[in-house]
Amino acid sequence: MFRQTIVRPRDILLARVLHARLYVNVEGRVFVVSGQVAHDKLKQTLAHRNRCPSMAESPTPNDLGCPCVDGELSFRRLDGIGRALNAWRKDLAAEMRLRPAKRRSTARLARERQEIARLTSRLKTLRRWRAALASGREPTGAPYFLDAAAETSLRAALTHARRECPLTPLMAWQARVVYWLSGDCATRRFLSAVTRLLSACPKTSWSDRVRGFQQAVLVWKRRGEQESIRHLLVEMSLHLRRLPASAIRAGQFSARLRGRTFREHCDFLLASCTQLLEDARRGRWLVPAALAALAAADGSATALPHQCFKVPIGQEDFSGLLLALERLAAQIGKPGYDALLIAMDQLSVLPHTSEFELLCQLLGRGNSVSDALWAGEHHLMYRIASSCLSVPVVRRLSEMFAEHGYPLDWDELGELVGRIQKEEDLKPVRAWLAWLGSVSPRVITPRMRKLLDVAFWKRYLPSVHKHGWFEQLAPCLSAVRREKAPEDCQALLDRIAAQQRFIGKNEMLPKSLRKLLDLRDRRERERRALCAQRAAGTLAGVALPRLQSLERQHGASPDPAKIRRFAEEAFLQLGIESMDVVTRQLAAAACRTYLGSVAERIAPDRHWDFAAWARAVTELEGDRLRELIVARECHGPEYKRHLSENQDWLGEAAVHGVDLDRWLSAEPDTIVVGGRAMDIGLASDLHHLFLMGNYFHTCLTLGECNDFSVLGNAYDANKQVVFVFTDDDAARRQVVARQIIAVSSDFKLLGYRCYVASRFVEKGNREEIMRAMASYCGRLAARCGLELTAEGCPQSIADHFWYDDGACEWLAAARTAWAESTQMREETVVSL
């Protein structure tokens, strides 16, 4: 009876050890190397090799980025592998003699038979290598072991590559390293990229021209001992014109001596040529090394890009090419890496290296290559990569805006994408597009485009995103279904009438539209009046052509297309006005909610900014804001004395002798500048403190990056804001200047930048106002018992955010006023 085959997986596992990378050192010891190849280390090792190394000089597996050595295959271990192969071969033969129903498929058994033959061949070759090394001979390809089949495949790949471009021995050695590390596919990718890039190099290269110029300089140097230097410099200038501009810039070539002798100038040019040639020669082996490291480490089967690298290699811009390959390698392992390789070969121009990561990110998110390229061409990759939108959605948005007569350039489209951070943010944009779709694109004239730009970018988008007011604004943007018949615009007129009522106008339709709709009746009334004059014989001669024109137009109705165009314009304008009314109402309500009585002091055109700022405060800052408002209502200008988080500092200031009464409520001064009376004093009205950035368009402006610093200025007892006010011609209070001052941690007075408005100050009076401001601060410091300083910073009160742009040196006027006030104070004390 035929015995069953015994499956011995241990023998199979032992035999398959030979599939691994095998490294054979000069002593004949065989090591099994595994693990992922580290790109950076491999690139660094290959970049330092400018010739083929001997076996003793060859990099170790660790040098090549393979830190994992799984063990050594000793002589005894190799014999064990041989016995395992024999056992595996016998088991396979026994299984093949079984009936088909009791064995595995014929194809699978054939694959195992081929695997056994390959492993047996590797074992025989490995033993020959050990024998050769024992006899003092160096096997071909050592120390990186390749069996006969691998050697055949490598030779075939090298032969094919040499048909396209001559390869140096160093490149052949790099190809062997790539084969040993990553196999046949990686080797062919490397050789294909190298040959195509080198083929793109110009026949008369940049280096050849520099070398020719170097030889010419040697000749000029010898001729300079006997011939006219002036004529030789002319020859040199003519020769330089034939060199590439990039070579002249890199080598700083010139026919001007610049204080050197002719011989010294020639030596300088020769040194520059030598350095350039060395850099170019080094670049010629660094680029293949970088390609080899990329092919061996990325684990991809996609061809390496070469099409978009033609321009840099044609210009011999090796540094730029190496940077591009480095940035490309940084994307290894990311989801869109293979698609990135394909996309780069479809580009006509190499994108900036900083865009590789963004391009890979877009491709990794499922965007097609064409979509990713579109995003790159429109400079939108960063915006889209940091948003929740895909490229097709952005492209469709762009097309829809253009279809509705409101096209966006790439900058505007990028800003729109940047504002859409979640899917819900698309709903207001689609509502805007539907509203625009209610009218014909021809209605959006340049004048109308300006109105829409202000409404969309300045009001609508910030309102729906910052405030979340879309539900309240949506009725203003409700679309009107366009009728098929162009003369039918009743639905549009009904909507216009509703909008007129909403914004508080008595007329059902705008004046321009009413005049157009009443045109037929007005013409008929005018015709009858002129006919009556003609019958009475009182018709003037100049009125006869008008009468004839009216009789020709008798019974004719106004052009329906013109009526619709006027109606559509009115529809858009009223929609913008409606949105403005709603945002003003909502902003005023928000200000009353967050700011209480302070909202009454704020001008209506400031409500929107305040609402956005107050809505963005955190819970802790909101509590602080409410405490601040209540304290100001209850205690007036000295409200800071009654704020909870100021108590510790107020106690320390009292101990250090600070006159808190003068510091918290100093009396204002009055000055006259340019014939205009002005008041200087500490700000105690909260709306002025909150708007201190808006008055001068600084980073403290509401909505800007440091806007919450105004809350700290208004709350903290160790900080004050000095304002200069004046009355304009309409007797309205206006801000002329302001400056932040603060008490440092060592209880001295700090001053920060003084801002002066130009609306009420002539150029010559600016310095006078700054001196007046400095004098006021100097007197205030002396009265409070503080010295002036420009070093240090104020003590932090609680965890308030406060922006510090650096203390400024006090003007001389401040120190003079401080000294005078201090002397008067001392004299007063002595007299008492």
Side-chain angles (χ1 to χ4, degrees):
M1 185 177 180
F2 199 85
R3 70 180 182 86
Q4 282 291 107
T5 303
I6 300 174
V7 179
R8 290 180 282 194
R10 183 177 178 182
D11 292 335
I12 296 175
L13 290 176
L14 181 59
R16 283 177 171 167
V17 170
L18 292 176
H19 281 309
R21 304 185 193 104
L22 299 178
Y23 174 79
V24 184
N25 66 9
V26 292
E27 300 172 358
R29 299 175 64 185
V30 182
F31 296 93
V32 177
V33 180
S34 64
Q36 182 69 30
V37 179
H39 171 267
D40 292 341
K41 195 162 189 178
L42 175 59
K43 178 186 172 184
Q44 183 179 7
T45 300
L46 295 180
H48 286 83
R49 302 285 171 176
N50 57 1
R51 61 180 178 82
C52 294
S54 63
M55 182 178 180
E57 298 171 338
S58 295
T60 64
N62 185 57
D63 295 334
L64 296 178
C66 299
C68 298
V69 177
D70 292 342
E72 180 182 355
L73 298 183
S74 61
F75 181 78
R76 185 182 229 169
R77 187 80 177 272
L78 290 175
D79 283 348
I81 290 175
R83 288 193 295 272
L85 279 171
N86 287 331
W88 188 6
R89 187 181 297 108
K90 289 178 181 179
D91 286 346
L92 188 61
E95 185 176 358
M96 292 181 68
R97 289 194 292 268
L98 294 175
R99 288 180 299 181
K102 293 186 177 182
R103 69 186 186 202
R104 291 171 291 173
S105 66
T106 304
R108 184 173 179 181
L109 294 175
R111 285 196 299 271
E112 282 199 16
R113 191 165 58 248
Q114 292 173 358
E115 183 181 4
I116 292 171
R118 178 71 180 269
L119 293 175
T120 302
S121 173
R122 288 178 69 84
L123 182 59
K124 290 179 180 179
T125 307
L126 194 58
R127 284 171 173 165
R128 284 199 299 271
W129 273 40
R130 289 172 60 91
L133 289 170
S135 62
R137 291 181 290 109
E138 184 176 309
T140 303
Y144 311 117
F145 176 78
L146 298 178
D147 58 21
E151 289 284 358
T152 301
S153 177
L154 177 60
R155 281 196 299 271
L158 290 172
T159 301
H160 178 74
R162 287 188 177 109
R163 292 195 192 104
E164 299 184 16
C165 179
L167 299 179
T168 63
L170 178 61
M171 295 177 189
W173 177 79
Q174 291 169 345
R176 173 175 290 276
V177 172
V178 173
Y179 200 110
W180 182 74
L181 288 170
S182 301
D184 180 69
C185 179
T187 304
R188 295 185 182 276
R189 292 171 67 225
F190 161 64
L191 291 174
S192 174
V194 166
T195 53
R196 290 173 183 255
L197 286 179
L198 294 182
S199 299
C201 289
K203 295 182 179 179
T204 304
S205 68
W206 186 83
S207 303
D208 294 336
R209 297 185 184 184
V210 173
R211 196 174 292 109
F213 178 70
Q214 186 180 38
Q215 295 300 320
V217 172
L218 288 172
V219 174
W220 290 325
K221 183 179 179 181
R222 291 195 298 269
R223 291 170 56 192
E225 299 175 357
Q226 300 175 352
E227 300 183 27
S228 169
I229 302 300
R230 182 179 178 182
H231 293 161
L232 294 177
L233 289 176
V234 172
E235 289 185 28
M236 186 181 295
S237 178
L238 293 174
H239 196 113
L240 283 172
R241 293 178 185 177
R242 298 195 294 267
L243 288 179
S246 57
I248 295 175
R249 287 193 301 269
Q252 298 181 352
F253 297 149
S254 174
R256 297 181 180 180
L257 297 180
R258 302 186 186 279
R260 294 185 287 260
T261 65
F262 184 74
R263 186 179 184 86
E264 291 172 345
H265 187 62
C266 290
D267 291 337
F268 169 77
L269 294 177
L270 290 172
S272 297
C273 290
T274 302
Q275 183 62 43
L276 286 178
L277 292 172
E278 176 61 26
D279 292 344
R281 187 181 66 83
R282 187 167 178 268
R284 285 182 177 275
W285 88 68
L286 286 180
V287 171
L291 287 171
L294 187 63
D298 66 358
S300 173
T302 306
L304 293 176
H306 60 272
Q307 186 69 25
C308 59
F309 291 143
K310 280 186 176 181
V311 174
I313 200 68
Q315 298 175 352
E316 297 190 71
D317 182 14
F318 296 112
S319 60
L321 187 54
L322 288 171
L323 178 61
L325 291 172
E326 180 182 348
R327 295 291 178 86
L328 185 60
Q331 312 310 314
I332 292 176
K334 296 183 179 179
Y337 177 72
D338 286 343
L340 176 63
L341 296 180
I342 297 172
M344 291 187 64
D345 242 0
Q346 296 179 2
L347 294 170
S348 57
V349 179
L350 181 66
H352 194 271
T353 53
S354 61
E355 297 179 342
F356 286 6
E357 182 177 0
L358 298 174
L359 188 57
C360 184
Q361 187 175 345
L362 290 178
L363 294 169
R365 284 165 53 176
N367 294 293
S368 67
V369 173
S370 61
D371 285 337
L373 296 181
W374 178 87
E377 291 171 359
H378 292 80
H379 308 282
L380 294 172
M381 285 197 292
Y382 175 77
R383 293 284 195 176
I384 297 177
S386 58
S387 76
C388 64
L389 303 179
S390 63
V391 181
V393 172
V394 177
R395 294 185 74 170
R396 181 56 187 153
L397 279 178
S398 177
E399 293 168 358
M400 290 175 68
F401 272 94
E403 290 170 2
H404 294 327
Y406 189 72
L408 305 179
D409 58 32
W410 65 265
D411 195 21
E412 293 172 331
L413 188 59
E415 183 178 351
L416 177 62
V417 172
R419 292 175 184 246
I420 300 174
Q421 298 300 320
K422 50 186 183 297
E423 290 293 334
E424 292 78 6
D425 294 341
L426 269 175
K427 190 175 180 180
V429 178
R430 290 186 173 128
W432 176 272
L433 287 170
W435 177 67
L436 286 181
S438 301
V439 302
S440 174
R442 70 173 183 272
V443 176
I444 304 180
T445 60
R447 183 185 66 85
M448 182 61 70
R449 175 65 188 250
K450 291 181 180 179
L451 296 176
L452 290 172
D453 282 342
V454 174
F456 184 63
W457 298 108
K458 302 297 184 183
R459 287 297 179 188
Y460 179 68
L461 282 183
S463 295
V464 297
H465 291 160
K466 285 185 179 180
H467 299 278
W469 291 343
F470 175 63
E471 289 74 15
Q472 289 80 5
L473 289 173
C476 303
L477 295 177
S478 56
V480 177
R481 183 173 58 87
R482 299 190 66 186
E483 303 294 341
K484 294 183 179 179
E487 65 277 1
D488 187 2
C489 58
Q490 188 58 45
L492 198 58
L493 295 175
D494 293 342
R495 180 59 54 79
I496 291 173
Q499 289 174 327
Q500 287 276 99
R501 290 193 299 270
F502 178 77
I503 62 177
K505 295 185 177 181
N506 297 325
E507 296 82 3
M508 295 295 294
L509 295 174
K511 183 177 179 180
S512 60
L513 198 54
R514 291 199 312 271
K515 289 177 62 177
L516 185 61
L517 292 174
D518 295 342
L519 180 62
R520 181 177 177 180
D521 293 339
R522 285 190 290 107
R523 285 176 176 174
E524 181 62 21
R525 288 195 300 269
E526 184 180 3
R527 188 187 68 81
R528 289 176 181 175
L530 292 176
C531 286
Q533 292 179 15
R534 183 175 61 181
T538 59
L539 182 66
V542 294
L544 183 59
R546 175 60 179 169
L547 176 59
Q548 293 172 349
S549 176
L550 290 174
E551 288 178 342
R552 286 195 301 269
Q553 297 175 3
H554 178 61
S557 300
D559 184 7
K562 188 175 183 180
I563 294 176
R564 184 168 190 89
R565 185 169 68 251
F566 272 65
E568 289 178 344
E569 289 181 359
F571 172 76
L572 292 182
Q573 291 176 347
L574 289 171
I576 294 172
E577 292 181 26
S578 301
M579 284 190 290
D580 189 57
V581 169
V582 172
T583 53
R584 286 178 181 275
Q585 293 173 350
L586 292 172
C591 284
R592 289 192 296 270
T593 300
Y594 291 111
L595 303 178
S597 61
V598 178
E600 300 174 1
R601 306 290 302 275
I602 301 172
D605 59 342
R606 299 281 190 185
H607 284 163
W608 193 89
D609 294 326
F610 266 101
W613 173 73
R615 186 181 180 87
V617 299
T618 63
E619 183 178 355
L620 180 60
E621 290 166 337
D623 295 339
R624 192 172 295 140
L625 177 61
R626 286 186 286 273
E627 180 191 7
L628 182 65
I629 293 171
V630 171
R632 180 64 180 82
E633 290 177 352
C634 297
H635 304 287
E638 291 194 359
Y639 69 91
K640 289 188 177 183
R641 193 190 294 273
H642 304 277
L643 297 175
S644 58
E645 294 178 341
N646 284 336
Q647 300 309 311
D648 292 342
W649 185 86
L650 291 172
E652 293 180 23
V655 171
H656 284 81
V658 179
D659 189 338
L660 293 175
D661 292 333
R662 292 183 178 273
W663 171 248
L664 295 176
S665 57
E667 292 295 326
D669 288 349
T670 301
I671 61 173
V672 177
V673 179
R676 186 185 292 270
M678 299 184 181
D679 297 328
I680 304 179
L682 301 180
S684 61
D685 289 338
L686 295 182
H687 72 285
H688 285 313
L689 289 169
F690 292 155
L691 288 171
M692 60 185 299
N694 294 65
Y695 290 142
F696 300 94
H697 305 290
T698 69
C699 64
L700 302 186
T701 301
L702 300 183
E704 295 295 331
C705 55
N706 295 314
D707 57 351
F708 285 117
S709 183
V710 301
L711 184 57
N713 290 327
Y715 190 102
D716 295 350
N718 60 352
K719 303 177 184 72
Q720 293 283 20
V721 184
V722 183
F723 274 88
V724 178
F725 296 99
T726 191
D727 293 334
D728 60 13
D729 297 336
R732 292 173 299 189
R733 200 69 165 163
Q734 301 290 346
V735 176
V736 177
R738 66 99 169 147
Q739 182 180 16
I740 299 174
I741 58 176
V743 179
S744 67
S745 56
D746 56 352
F747 291 90
K748 296 179 181 180
L749 189 64
L750 296 163
Y752 297 87
R753 180 179 174 182
C754 178
Y755 293 90
V756 181
S758 58
R759 290 181 299 165
F760 305 102
V761 179
E762 297 180 0
K763 187 175 182 180
N765 297 331
R766 182 183 180 87
E767 297 296 330
E768 186 177 352
I769 289 179
M770 295 183 70
R771 287 194 297 270
M773 178 83 79
S775 298
Y776 179 85
C777 293
R779 288 192 295 272
L780 176 63
R783 292 168 182 169
C784 295
L786 299 170
E787 296 181 13
L788 299 178
T789 185
E791 299 179 355
C793 58
Q795 178 182 330
S796 177
I797 293 181
D799 58 346
H800 301 188
F801 170 76
W802 188 66
Y803 174 71
D804 179 8
D805 57 358
C808 299
E809 192 67 38
W810 286 104
L811 296 179
R815 298 192 178 278
T816 301
W818 182 87
E820 293 174 352
S821 297
T822 301
Q823 184 178 0
M824 292 176 59
R825 185 182 182 189
E826 291 174 353
E827 291 174 355
T828 302
V829 172
V830 170
S831 64
L832 292 175

